[in-house]
Amino acid sequence: MLRYLPFLLVMALLVYSSAWLFTGRTRRGPASGSTPAEWHRDAAADWVAPDDNPEFLKSLDERARGGDDDPRQD
């Protein structure tokens, strides 16, 4: 009997894993209809990096020319 134990273990593993794959529950999306990956898709379009932002680059150019020494002062 002990001689067949490894074979029985492998067979049980194969049977149970294939049964789990074939009869497993189907995955459903969240009730809100959007997934976490979709929550952040539009965030990148709203934010612009400082080196790509024309207003920021313009303000740097003005500061370099002496137009505005300290933007924090009102």
Side-chain angles (χ1 to χ4, degrees), residues 59 62-73:
S59 72
E62 289 174 359
R63 284 179 58 193
R65 292 184 184 172
D68 187 15
D69 291 333
D70 193 1
R72 293 173 285 178
Q73 293 178 354

Side-chain angles (χ1 to χ4, degrees), residues 1-73:
M1 180 69 184
L2 285 176
R3 175 171 84 171
Y4 297 113
L5 187 62
F7 176 74
L8 291 174
L9 289 175
V10 169
M11 288 305 293
L13 228 125
L14 289 174
V15 169
Y16 288 131
S17 61
S18 59
W20 180 78
L21 287 174
F22 290 120
T23 62
R25 294 186 340 186
T26 58
R27 294 183 183 221
R28 297 183 208 141
S32 66
S34 63
T35 61
E38 294 171 348
W39 295 341
H40 302 291
R41 284 192 183 150
D42 296 331
D46 297 337
W47 183 78
V48 179
D51 58 343
D52 291 336
N53 188 344
E55 294 174 12
F56 176 73
L57 295 174
K58 187 174 150 183
S59 72
L60 286 179
D61 189 37
E62 289 174 359
R63 284 179 58 193
R65 292 184 184 172
D68 187 15
D69 291 333
D70 193 1
R72 293 173 285 178
Q73 293 178 354

